[in-house]
Coordinates of all heavy atoms in Angstrom, one line a residue:
M215 N 0.8 -1.2 0.0 CA 0.0 0.0 0.0 C 0.9 1.2 0.0 O 1.9 1.3 0.7 CB -0.9 0.0 1.2 CG -2.0 1.0 1.2 SD -3.2 0.7 0.0 CE -4.6 0.6 0.9
S216 N 0.5 2.2 -0.8 CA 1.3 3.5 -0.9 C 1.1 4.3 0.4 O 0.1 4.2 1.1 CB 0.7 4.2 -2.1 OG 1.3 5.5 -2.2
N217 N 2.1 5.2 0.7 CA 2.0 6.1 1.8 C 1.2 7.3 1.4 O 1.0 8.2 2.3 CB 3.4 6.5 2.3 CG 4.1 5.3 2.9 OD1 3.4 4.5 3.5 ND2 5.4 5.3 2.9
R218 N 0.8 7.4 0.2 CA 0.0 8.6 -0.3 C -1.3 8.6 0.3 O -1.9 7.6 0.6 CB -0.1 8.6 -1.8 CG -0.5 9.9 -2.4 CD -0.5 9.7 -3.9 NE -1.1 10.8 -4.7 CZ -2.2 11.5 -4.5 NH1 -2.9 11.2 -3.5 NH2 -2.6 12.4 -5.3
K219 N -1.9 9.9 0.5 CA -3.2 10.0 1.1 C -4.2 9.3 0.2 O -4.0 9.3 -1.0 CB -3.5 11.4 1.4 CG -3.6 12.3 0.2 CD -3.9 13.7 0.5 CE -4.0 14.6 -0.7 NZ -5.0 14.4 -1.7
P220 N -5.4 8.9 0.7 CA -6.4 8.3 -0.1 C -6.9 9.3 -1.2 O -6.9 10.5 -1.0 CB -7.5 7.9 0.9 CG -6.9 7.9 2.2 CD -5.7 8.9 2.2
F221 N -7.4 8.7 -2.2 CA -8.0 9.5 -3.3 C -9.2 10.3 -2.8 O -10.0 9.8 -2.1 CB -8.4 8.6 -4.5 CG -9.1 9.3 -5.6 CD1 -8.4 10.0 -6.5 CD2 -10.5 9.2 -5.7 CE1 -9.1 10.7 -7.5 CE2 -11.2 9.8 -6.7 CZ -10.5 10.6 -7.6
D222 N -9.2 11.6 -3.2 CA -10.3 12.5 -2.8 C -10.8 13.1 -4.1 O -10.2 14.0 -4.7 CB -9.8 13.5 -1.9 CG -10.9 14.5 -1.5 OD1 -12.0 14.5 -2.0 OD2 -10.6 15.4 -0.7
R223 N -12.0 12.7 -4.6 CA -12.5 13.2 -5.9 C -12.8 14.7 -5.8 O -12.9 15.3 -6.8 CB -13.8 12.4 -6.3 CG -15.0 12.8 -5.5 CD -16.3 12.0 -6.0 NE -16.2 10.7 -5.5 CZ -16.2 9.6 -6.4 NH1 -16.2 9.8 -7.6 NH2 -16.2 8.4 -5.9
N224 N -12.9 15.3 -4.6 CA -13.1 16.7 -4.5 C -11.8 17.5 -4.5 O -11.9 18.8 -4.5 CB -13.9 17.0 -3.2 CG -15.3 16.4 -3.3 OD1 -16.0 16.5 -4.3 ND2 -15.7 15.7 -2.3
D225 N -10.7 16.9 -4.4 CA -9.4 17.5 -4.4 C -9.0 17.7 -5.9 O -9.0 16.8 -6.7 CB -8.3 16.6 -3.8 CG -6.9 17.2 -3.8 OD1 -6.6 18.1 -4.6 OD2 -6.1 16.8 -2.9
P226 N -8.8 19.0 -6.4 CA -8.5 19.2 -7.8 C -7.3 18.5 -8.3 O -7.3 18.0 -9.4 CB -8.3 20.7 -7.8 CG -9.0 21.3 -6.7 CD -9.0 20.2 -5.6
F227 N -6.3 18.3 -7.5 CA -5.1 17.6 -7.9 C -5.5 16.1 -8.2 O -5.2 15.6 -9.2 CB -4.0 17.6 -6.8 CG -2.8 16.8 -7.1 CD1 -1.7 17.4 -7.7 CD2 -2.7 15.4 -6.9 CE1 -0.6 16.6 -8.1 CE2 -1.6 14.7 -7.2 CZ -0.5 15.3 -7.8
D228 N -6.2 15.5 -7.2 CA -6.6 14.1 -7.4 C -7.5 13.9 -8.6 O -7.4 13.0 -9.4 CB -7.3 13.6 -6.2 CG -6.3 13.3 -5.0 OD1 -5.1 13.4 -5.2 OD2 -6.8 12.9 -3.9
A229 N -8.5 14.9 -8.8 CA -9.4 14.8 -9.9 C -8.7 14.9 -11.3 O -8.9 14.1 -12.2 CB -10.5 15.9 -9.8
I230 N -7.7 15.8 -11.4 CA -7.0 16.0 -12.6 C -6.1 14.8 -12.9 O -6.0 14.3 -14.0 CB -6.2 17.3 -12.6 CG1 -7.1 18.5 -12.7 CG2 -5.2 17.3 -13.8 CD1 -6.4 19.8 -12.4
A231 N -5.4 14.3 -11.8 CA -4.5 13.1 -12.0 C -5.3 11.9 -12.4 O -4.9 11.2 -13.3 CB -3.8 12.9 -10.7
Q232 N -6.5 11.7 -11.8 CA -7.3 10.5 -12.1 C -7.8 10.6 -13.6 O -7.8 9.6 -14.3 CB -8.5 10.4 -11.2 CG -9.4 9.2 -11.5 CD -8.7 7.9 -11.3 OE1 -7.8 7.8 -10.5 NE2 -9.0 6.9 -12.2
M233 N -8.3 11.8 -14.0 CA -8.7 12.0 -15.4 C -7.6 11.7 -16.3 O -7.8 11.0 -17.3 CB -9.2 13.5 -15.5 CG -9.7 13.8 -16.9 SD -8.4 14.7 -18.0 CE -7.8 16.0 -16.9
T234 N -6.4 12.2 -16.0 CA -5.2 12.0 -16.9 C -4.9 10.5 -17.0 O -4.6 10.0 -18.1 CB -4.0 12.8 -16.4 OG1 -4.4 14.2 -16.4 CG2 -2.8 12.7 -17.4
K235 N -4.8 9.8 -15.9 CA -4.5 8.4 -15.9 C -5.5 7.6 -16.7 O -5.1 6.7 -17.5 CB -4.5 7.8 -14.4 CG -3.3 8.3 -13.6 CD -3.3 7.7 -12.2 CE -4.2 8.4 -11.3 NZ -4.1 7.9 -9.9
T236 N -6.8 8.0 -16.6 CA -7.8 7.3 -17.4 C -7.6 7.5 -18.9 O -7.7 6.6 -19.7 CB -9.2 7.8 -16.9 OG1 -9.4 7.5 -15.5 CG2 -10.3 7.1 -17.7
V237 N -7.4 8.8 -19.3 CA -7.2 9.1 -20.7 C -5.9 8.3 -21.2 O -6.0 7.8 -22.3 CB -7.1 10.6 -20.9 CG1 -6.6 10.9 -22.3 CG2 -8.4 11.3 -20.6
I238 N -4.8 8.3 -20.5 CA -3.6 7.7 -20.9 C -3.8 6.2 -21.0 O -3.4 5.5 -22.0 CB -2.5 8.0 -19.9 CG1 -2.1 9.5 -19.9 CG2 -1.2 7.1 -20.2 CD1 -1.6 10.0 -21.2
A239 N -4.5 5.6 -20.0 CA -4.7 4.1 -20.0 C -5.6 3.7 -21.2 O -5.4 2.7 -21.9 CB -5.4 3.7 -18.7
T240 N -6.6 4.6 -21.5 CA -7.5 4.3 -22.7 C -6.7 4.3 -24.0 O -6.7 3.4 -24.8 CB -8.6 5.3 -22.7 OG1 -9.4 5.1 -21.5 CG2 -9.5 5.0 -23.9
A241 N -5.9 5.4 -24.2 CA -5.0 5.5 -25.4 C -4.0 4.4 -25.5 O -3.8 3.8 -26.5 CB -4.3 6.9 -25.4
F242 N -3.4 4.0 -24.3 CA -2.4 3.0 -24.3 C -3.1 1.6 -24.7 O -2.5 0.8 -25.4 CB -1.7 2.9 -23.0 CG -0.5 2.0 -23.0 CD1 0.6 2.3 -23.7 CD2 -0.5 0.7 -22.4 CE1 1.7 1.5 -23.7 CE2 0.6 -0.1 -22.4 CZ 1.7 0.3 -23.1
G243 N -4.3 1.4 -24.2 CA -5.0 0.2 -24.6 C -5.2 0.1 -26.1 O -5.1 -1.0 -26.7
E244 N -5.5 1.2 -26.7 CA -5.7 1.2 -28.1 C -4.4 0.9 -28.8 O -4.4 0.2 -29.8 CB -6.3 2.6 -28.6 CG -7.7 2.8 -28.1 CD -8.2 4.3 -28.4 OE1 -7.5 5.0 -29.2 OE2 -9.2 4.6 -27.9
A245 N -3.3 1.5 -28.3 CA -2.0 1.2 -28.9 C -1.6 -0.3 -28.8 O -1.1 -0.9 -29.7 CB -0.9 2.1 -28.3
M246 N -1.9 -0.9 -27.6 CA -1.6 -2.3 -27.4 C -2.4 -3.1 -28.4 O -1.9 -4.1 -28.9 CB -1.9 -2.7 -26.0 CG -0.9 -2.2 -25.0 SD -1.3 -2.8 -23.3 CE -1.2 -4.6 -23.5
A247 N -3.7 -2.8 -28.6 CA -4.5 -3.5 -29.5 C -4.0 -3.4 -31.0 O -4.2 -4.4 -31.8 CB -6.0 -3.1 -29.4
R248 N -3.4 -2.3 -31.4 CA -3.0 -2.1 -32.7 C -1.6 -2.6 -33.0 O -1.2 -2.9 -34.1 CB -3.0 -0.6 -33.1 CG -4.5 -0.1 -33.2 CD -4.6 1.3 -33.4 NE -3.9 1.8 -34.5 CZ -3.8 3.1 -34.8 NH1 -4.2 4.0 -34.0 NH2 -3.1 3.5 -35.9
A249 N -0.8 -2.8 -31.9 CA 0.6 -3.2 -32.1 C 0.8 -4.5 -32.8 O 1.7 -4.6 -33.7 CB 1.3 -3.3 -30.7
P250 N 0.0 -5.5 -32.6 CA 0.1 -6.8 -33.3 C -0.1 -6.7 -34.8 O 0.3 -7.5 -35.6 CB -0.9 -7.7 -32.7 CG -1.2 -7.2 -31.3 CD -1.0 -5.7 -31.5
T251 N -0.8 -5.6 -35.2 CA -1.0 -5.4 -36.7 C 0.3 -4.9 -37.3 O 0.4 -4.9 -38.6 CB -2.2 -4.5 -37.0 OG1 -1.8 -3.2 -36.5 CG2 -3.5 -4.9 -36.3
I252 N 1.2 -4.4 -36.5 CA 2.5 -3.9 -37.0 C 3.6 -4.9 -36.9 O 4.4 -5.1 -37.8 CB 2.8 -2.6 -36.3 CG1 1.7 -1.5 -36.5 CG2 4.2 -2.1 -36.7 CD1 1.8 -0.3 -35.6
S253 N 3.6 -5.6 -35.8 CA 4.6 -6.7 -35.6 C 4.0 -7.7 -34.7 O 3.4 -7.4 -33.6 CB 5.9 -6.1 -34.9 OG 6.7 -7.2 -34.5
R254 N 4.2 -9.0 -35.0 CA 3.7 -10.1 -34.2 C 4.7 -10.5 -33.1 O 4.4 -11.3 -32.2 CB 3.4 -11.3 -35.1 CG 2.2 -11.1 -35.9 CD 1.3 -12.3 -35.8 NE 0.1 -12.2 -36.5 CZ -1.0 -11.7 -36.0 NH1 -1.0 -11.1 -34.8 NH2 -2.2 -11.7 -36.6
D255 N 5.9 -9.9 -33.1 CA 7.0 -10.2 -32.2 C 6.7 -9.5 -30.8 O 6.7 -8.3 -30.7 CB 8.3 -9.7 -32.7 CG 9.5 -10.1 -31.8 OD1 9.3 -10.3 -30.6 OD2 10.6 -10.3 -32.4
P256 N 6.4 -10.3 -29.8 CA 6.0 -9.7 -28.5 C 7.1 -8.9 -27.9 O 6.9 -7.9 -27.2 CB 5.7 -10.9 -27.6 CG 6.0 -12.1 -28.4 CD 6.3 -11.8 -29.8
E257 N 8.4 -9.2 -28.1 CA 9.5 -8.4 -27.6 C 9.5 -7.0 -28.2 O 9.7 -6.0 -27.6 CB 10.8 -9.1 -27.8 CG 11.0 -10.3 -26.9 CD 12.4 -11.0 -27.0 OE1 13.4 -10.3 -27.2 OE2 12.4 -12.2 -26.9
I258 N 9.3 -7.0 -29.6 CA 9.3 -5.7 -30.3 C 8.1 -4.9 -29.8 O 8.2 -3.7 -29.5 CB 9.2 -5.9 -31.8 CG1 10.6 -6.4 -32.3 CG2 8.8 -4.6 -32.5 CD1 10.5 -6.8 -33.8
Q259 N 7.0 -5.5 -29.6 CA 5.8 -4.8 -29.1 C 6.0 -4.3 -27.8 O 5.7 -3.1 -27.5 CB 4.6 -5.8 -29.1 CG 4.0 -6.2 -30.4 CD 2.9 -7.3 -30.2 OE1 2.2 -7.2 -29.3 NE2 2.8 -8.2 -31.2
Y260 N 6.5 -5.1 -26.8 CA 6.7 -4.6 -25.5 C 7.7 -3.4 -25.4 O 7.3 -2.4 -24.9 CB 7.3 -5.7 -24.6 CG 7.7 -5.3 -23.2 CD1 6.7 -5.1 -22.2 CD2 9.0 -4.9 -22.9 CE1 7.0 -4.7 -21.0 CE2 9.3 -4.5 -21.6 CZ 8.3 -4.4 -20.7 OH 8.7 -3.9 -19.4
E261 N 8.9 -3.5 -26.0 CA 9.8 -2.5 -26.0 C 9.3 -1.2 -26.7 O 9.4 -0.1 -26.1 CB 11.1 -2.9 -26.6 CG 12.2 -1.9 -26.5 CD 13.6 -2.3 -26.9 OE1 13.8 -3.5 -27.3 OE2 14.5 -1.5 -26.9
A262 N 8.7 -1.3 -27.8 CA 8.2 -0.2 -28.6 C 7.1 0.5 -27.8 O 7.0 1.7 -27.8 CB 7.7 -0.6 -30.0
L263 N 6.2 -0.3 -27.2 CA 5.1 0.3 -26.4 C 5.6 1.1 -25.2 O 5.1 2.2 -24.9 CB 4.1 -0.8 -26.0 CG 3.2 -1.3 -27.1 CD1 2.5 -2.6 -26.7 CD2 2.1 -0.3 -27.5
V264 N 6.5 0.5 -24.5 CA 7.1 1.1 -23.3 C 7.8 2.4 -23.7 O 7.6 3.5 -23.1 CB 7.9 0.2 -22.5 CG1 8.7 0.9 -21.4 CG2 7.1 -0.9 -21.9
I265 N 8.7 2.3 -24.7 CA 9.4 3.5 -25.1 C 8.5 4.6 -25.6 O 8.6 5.8 -25.3 CB 10.5 3.1 -26.2 CG1 11.6 2.2 -25.6 CG2 11.1 4.4 -26.8 CD1 12.3 2.8 -24.4
G266 N 7.5 4.2 -26.4 CA 6.5 5.2 -26.9 C 5.8 5.8 -25.8 O 5.5 7.0 -25.8
L267 N 5.4 5.0 -24.8 CA 4.7 5.6 -23.6 C 5.5 6.6 -22.8 O 5.1 7.7 -22.5 CB 4.2 4.4 -22.7 CG 3.5 4.8 -21.4 CD1 2.2 5.5 -21.7 CD2 3.3 3.6 -20.6
M268 N 6.8 6.2 -22.6 CA 7.7 7.1 -21.9 C 8.0 8.4 -22.6 O 7.9 9.5 -22.0 CB 9.0 6.3 -21.5 CG 8.7 5.2 -20.5 SD 10.1 4.1 -20.2 CE 11.5 5.2 -20.0
V269 N 8.4 8.2 -23.9 CA 8.7 9.4 -24.7 C 7.5 10.3 -24.8 O 7.6 11.6 -24.7 CB 9.3 9.1 -26.0 CG1 9.4 10.3 -26.9 CG2 10.6 8.4 -25.9
G270 N 6.3 9.7 -25.0 CA 5.1 10.5 -25.1 C 4.8 11.3 -23.8 O 4.5 12.4 -23.8
A271 N 4.9 10.6 -22.6 CA 4.7 11.2 -21.3 C 5.7 12.3 -21.1 O 5.3 13.4 -20.7 CB 4.7 10.2 -20.2
Y272 N 7.0 12.1 -21.3 CA 8.0 13.1 -21.1 C 7.8 14.3 -22.1 O 8.0 15.4 -21.7 CB 9.4 12.5 -21.3 CG 9.7 11.4 -20.3 CD1 10.6 10.5 -20.6 CD2 9.0 11.3 -19.1 CE1 10.9 9.4 -19.7 CE2 9.3 10.3 -18.2 CZ 10.2 9.3 -18.5 OH 10.5 8.3 -17.6
G273 N 7.4 14.0 -23.3 CA 7.1 15.1 -24.3 C 6.0 15.9 -23.8 O 6.0 17.2 -23.9
C274 N 4.9 15.3 -23.3 CA 3.8 16.1 -22.8 C 4.2 17.0 -21.6 O 3.8 18.1 -21.5 CB 2.7 15.1 -22.4 SG 1.9 14.3 -23.8
A275 N 5.0 16.4 -20.7 CA 5.5 17.2 -19.5 C 6.4 18.3 -20.0 O 6.3 19.4 -19.5 CB 6.2 16.2 -18.6
L276 N 7.2 18.1 -21.0 CA 8.1 19.1 -21.5 C 7.3 20.2 -22.1 O 7.7 21.4 -22.0 CB 9.1 18.5 -22.5 CG 10.2 19.4 -23.1 CD1 11.1 19.9 -21.9 CD2 11.0 18.6 -24.1
A277 N 6.2 19.9 -22.8 CA 5.4 20.9 -23.4 C 4.8 21.9 -22.4 O 4.4 23.0 -22.8 CB 4.3 20.2 -24.3
M278 N 4.7 21.5 -21.2 CA 4.1 22.3 -20.1 C 5.1 23.1 -19.4 O 4.8 23.9 -18.5 CB 3.3 21.5 -19.2 CG 2.1 20.8 -19.8 SD 1.1 19.9 -18.6 CE 2.2 18.7 -17.9
T279 N 6.4 23.0 -19.6 CA 7.5 23.6 -18.9 C 8.5 24.3 -19.7 O 8.5 24.1 -20.9 CB 8.2 22.6 -18.0 OG1 8.9 21.6 -18.9 CG2 7.3 21.8 -17.1
A280 N 9.2 25.2 -19.1 CA 10.3 25.8 -19.8 C 11.5 24.8 -19.9 O 11.8 24.1 -18.9 CB 10.8 27.1 -19.0
P281 N 12.1 24.7 -21.0 CA 13.2 23.7 -21.2 C 14.5 24.1 -20.5 O 15.5 24.4 -21.1 CB 13.4 23.6 -22.7 CG 13.0 24.9 -23.2 CD 11.9 25.4 -22.2
D282 N 14.5 24.1 -19.1 CA 15.6 24.5 -18.3 C 16.4 23.4 -17.7 O 17.3 23.6 -16.9 CB 15.2 25.5 -17.3 CG 14.2 24.9 -16.3 OD1 13.9 23.7 -16.4 OD2 13.7 25.7 -15.4
G283 N 16.1 22.2 -18.0 CA 16.8 21.0 -17.4 C 16.3 20.5 -16.1 O 16.7 19.5 -15.7
E284 N 15.4 21.3 -15.5 CA 14.8 20.8 -14.2 C 13.8 19.7 -14.3 O 13.5 19.0 -13.4 CB 14.3 22.0 -13.4 CG 15.3 23.1 -13.1 CD 16.4 22.5 -12.2 OE1 16.1 21.8 -11.2 OE2 17.6 22.8 -12.4
L285 N 13.1 19.6 -15.5 CA 12.1 18.7 -15.7 C 12.6 17.2 -15.5 O 11.9 16.4 -14.8 CB 11.5 18.8 -17.1 CG 10.4 17.8 -17.5 CD1 9.2 17.9 -16.5 CD2 10.0 18.0 -18.9
R286 N 13.7 16.9 -16.0 CA 14.3 15.6 -15.9 C 14.5 15.2 -14.4 O 14.1 14.1 -14.0 CB 15.6 15.5 -16.6 CG 16.2 14.1 -16.6 CD 17.4 14.0 -17.4 NE 17.9 12.6 -17.4 CZ 19.1 12.2 -17.8 NH1 19.9 13.1 -18.4 NH2 19.5 11.0 -17.8
A287 N 15.0 16.1 -13.6 CA 15.2 15.8 -12.2 C 13.9 15.7 -11.5 O 13.7 14.8 -10.7 CB 16.0 17.0 -11.6
A288 N 12.9 16.5 -11.9 CA 11.6 16.4 -11.2 C 10.9 15.0 -11.6 O 10.4 14.3 -10.7 CB 10.7 17.5 -11.6
L289 N 11.0 14.6 -12.9 CA 10.4 13.4 -13.3 C 11.1 12.2 -12.6 O 10.4 11.3 -12.1 CB 10.4 13.2 -14.8 CG 9.5 14.2 -15.6 CD1 9.8 14.1 -17.1 CD2 8.1 13.9 -15.3
L290 N 12.4 12.2 -12.5 CA 13.1 11.2 -11.9 C 12.8 11.1 -10.4 O 12.7 10.0 -9.8 CB 14.6 11.3 -12.1 CG 15.1 11.1 -13.5 CD1 16.6 11.5 -13.6 CD2 14.9 9.6 -13.9
A291 N 12.6 12.2 -9.8 CA 12.3 12.2 -8.3 C 10.9 11.6 -8.1 O 10.7 11.0 -7.0 CB 12.3 13.7 -7.8
H292 N 10.0 11.8 -9.1 CA 8.6 11.2 -8.9 C 8.5 9.8 -9.3 O 7.4 9.2 -9.1 CB 7.6 12.1 -9.6 CG 7.4 13.5 -9.0 ND1 6.8 13.7 -7.8 CD2 7.8 14.7 -9.4 CE1 6.8 14.9 -7.5 NE2 7.4 15.6 -8.5
L293 N 9.4 9.2 -10.0 CA 9.3 7.8 -10.5 C 9.0 6.8 -9.4 O 8.1 6.0 -9.6 CB 10.6 7.4 -11.3 CG 10.6 7.8 -12.7 CD1 12.0 7.4 -13.3 CD2 9.5 7.2 -13.5
P294 N 9.7 6.8 -8.3 CA 9.4 5.7 -7.3 C 7.9 5.8 -6.8 O 7.2 4.8 -6.8 CB 10.3 6.0 -6.1 CG 11.5 6.7 -6.8 CD 10.9 7.6 -7.9
D295 N 7.4 7.0 -6.6 CA 6.0 7.1 -6.2 C 5.0 6.7 -7.3 O 4.0 6.1 -7.0 CB 5.7 8.6 -5.7 CG 4.3 8.7 -5.1 OD1 3.9 7.9 -4.2 OD2 3.5 9.6 -5.6
A296 N 5.4 7.1 -8.5 CA 4.5 6.7 -9.7 C 4.4 5.2 -9.8 O 3.4 4.6 -10.0 CB 5.0 7.4 -11.0
F297 N 5.6 4.5 -9.7 CA 5.6 3.1 -9.7 C 4.8 2.5 -8.6 O 4.0 1.5 -8.8 CB 7.0 2.5 -9.7 CG 7.7 2.4 -11.0 CD1 8.5 3.3 -11.5 CD2 7.4 1.3 -11.8 CE1 9.2 3.2 -12.7 CE2 8.0 1.1 -13.1 CZ 8.9 2.1 -13.5
D298 N 5.0 3.0 -7.4 CA 4.2 2.5 -6.2 C 2.7 2.7 -6.4 O 1.9 1.8 -6.0 CB 4.7 3.1 -4.9 CG 6.1 2.5 -4.5 OD1 6.5 1.5 -5.1 OD2 6.7 3.1 -3.6
Q299 N 2.3 3.9 -6.9 CA 0.9 4.1 -7.1 C 0.3 3.1 -8.2 O -0.8 2.6 -8.0 CB 0.6 5.5 -7.6 CG 0.8 6.6 -6.5 CD 0.4 7.9 -7.0 OE1 -0.7 8.1 -7.6 NE2 1.2 8.9 -6.7
A300 N 1.0 2.9 -9.3 CA 0.6 2.0 -10.3 C 0.5 0.6 -9.7 O -0.5 -0.2 -10.0 CB 1.5 2.0 -11.5
R301 N 1.5 0.2 -8.9 CA 1.4 -1.2 -8.3 C 0.3 -1.3 -7.3 O -0.4 -2.3 -7.3 CB 2.8 -1.5 -7.6 CG 3.9 -1.7 -8.6 CD 5.3 -1.9 -7.9 NE 5.3 -3.0 -7.0 CZ 5.5 -4.3 -7.4 NH1 5.8 -4.5 -8.6 NH2 5.5 -5.2 -6.5
D302 N 0.0 -0.2 -6.6 CA -1.1 -0.2 -5.6 C -2.4 -0.4 -6.3 O -3.3 -1.1 -5.9 CB -1.1 1.1 -4.8 CG -2.1 1.1 -3.7 OD1 -2.2 0.2 -2.9 OD2 -2.9 2.1 -3.6
I303 N -2.6 0.2 -7.5 CA -3.8 0.1 -8.3 C -4.1 -1.3 -8.6 O -5.3 -1.7 -8.6 CB -3.7 1.0 -9.5 CG1 -3.8 2.5 -9.1 CG2 -4.9 0.7 -10.5 CD1 -3.5 3.5 -10.3
V304 N -3.1 -2.1 -8.9 CA -3.3 -3.5 -9.3 C -3.1 -4.5 -8.1 O -3.0 -5.7 -8.3 CB -2.5 -3.9 -10.5 CG1 -2.9 -3.1 -11.7 CG2 -1.0 -3.8 -10.2
G305 N -3.0 -3.9 -6.9 CA -2.9 -4.7 -5.7 C -1.6 -5.3 -5.3 O -1.5 -6.3 -4.6
L306 N -0.5 -4.7 -5.9 CA 0.8 -5.1 -5.6 C 1.5 -4.2 -4.5 O 1.1 -3.1 -4.4 CB 1.7 -5.1 -6.9 CG 1.3 -6.0 -8.0 CD1 2.1 -5.8 -9.2 CD2 1.5 -7.5 -7.5
P307 N 2.4 -4.8 -3.7 CA 3.0 -3.9 -2.7 C 4.0 -2.9 -3.3 O 4.5 -3.1 -4.5 CB 3.8 -5.0 -1.9 CG 4.1 -6.1 -2.8 CD 2.9 -6.2 -3.7
P308 N 4.3 -1.9 -2.6 CA 5.2 -0.8 -3.2 C 6.6 -1.4 -3.3 O 7.0 -2.3 -2.5 CB 5.1 0.3 -2.2 CG 4.7 -0.3 -0.9 CD 3.8 -1.5 -1.3
L309 N 7.4 -0.8 -4.2 CA 8.8 -1.1 -4.3 C 9.6 -0.2 -3.4 O 10.7 -0.6 -3.0 CB 9.3 -0.9 -5.7 CG 8.7 -1.9 -6.7 CD1 9.2 -1.5 -8.2 CD2 9.0 -3.3 -6.4
G310 N 9.1 1.0 -3.0 CA 9.8 1.9 -2.2 C 10.8 2.7 -2.9 O 10.9 2.7 -4.1
A311 N 11.6 3.5 -2.2 CA 12.6 4.4 -2.7 C 13.7 3.7 -3.4 O 14.1 2.6 -3.0 CB 13.1 5.3 -1.6
L312 N 14.2 4.3 -4.4 CA 15.4 3.8 -5.1 C 16.6 4.1 -4.3 O 16.8 5.1 -3.6 CB 15.6 4.5 -6.5 CG 14.5 4.3 -7.5 CD1 14.7 5.1 -8.7 CD2 14.4 2.8 -7.9
S313 N 17.6 3.1 -4.3 CA 18.8 3.3 -3.5 C 19.9 3.8 -4.4 O 19.9 3.7 -5.5 CB 19.2 2.1 -2.8 OG 18.7 0.9 -3.2

């Protein structure tokens, strides 16, 4: 279980984050469904889907910020919590902080 406070639909941060996760998950589901029409190789599909997801997410974040180099540090700092939240959603225990 994550140490993050419980979801509050009335909290604007939580509402925006939930809406964004839902939109991303829907789009990613569509990409997963289309990937086998491009390549039947599961290794190619996996790597291409993950890289596409990461570059797309980082590109979206970059589009909202000034390109001053701080975005990378901020994204890296949030990775452990993002992984733990995703794991919590599917009922897996957190991995915790990176060492």
Side-chain angles (χ1 to χ4, degrees):
M215 188 70 119
S216 173
N217 289 331
R218 193 178 174 315
K219 66 180 178 65
F221 175 76
D222 177 358
R223 78 178 73 244
N224 297 313
D225 179 337
F227 178 93
D228 285 357
I230 292 169
Q232 181 62 36
M233 178 265 309
T234 303
K235 289 184 278 189
T236 301
V237 169
I238 296 295
T240 300
F242 191 70
E244 292 173 14
M246 285 182 62
R248 292 174 56 188
T251 68
I252 299 168
S253 172
R254 290 229 177 271
D255 184 331
E257 288 182 38
I258 289 174
Q259 290 176 31
Y260 174 81
E261 186 172 355
L263 286 164
V264 170
I265 294 298
L267 178 63
M268 290 171 46
V269 172
Y272 299 155
C274 291
L276 184 61
M278 296 185 298
T279 63
D282 60 6
E284 297 299 316
L285 176 62
R286 183 176 180 190
L289 290 171
L290 289 171
H292 289 292
L293 275 176
D295 186 52
F297 271 98
D298 286 350
Q299 285 186 49
R301 290 175 61 86
D302 186 50
I303 288 168
V304 297
L306 295 172
L309 295 175
L312 296 175
S313 17

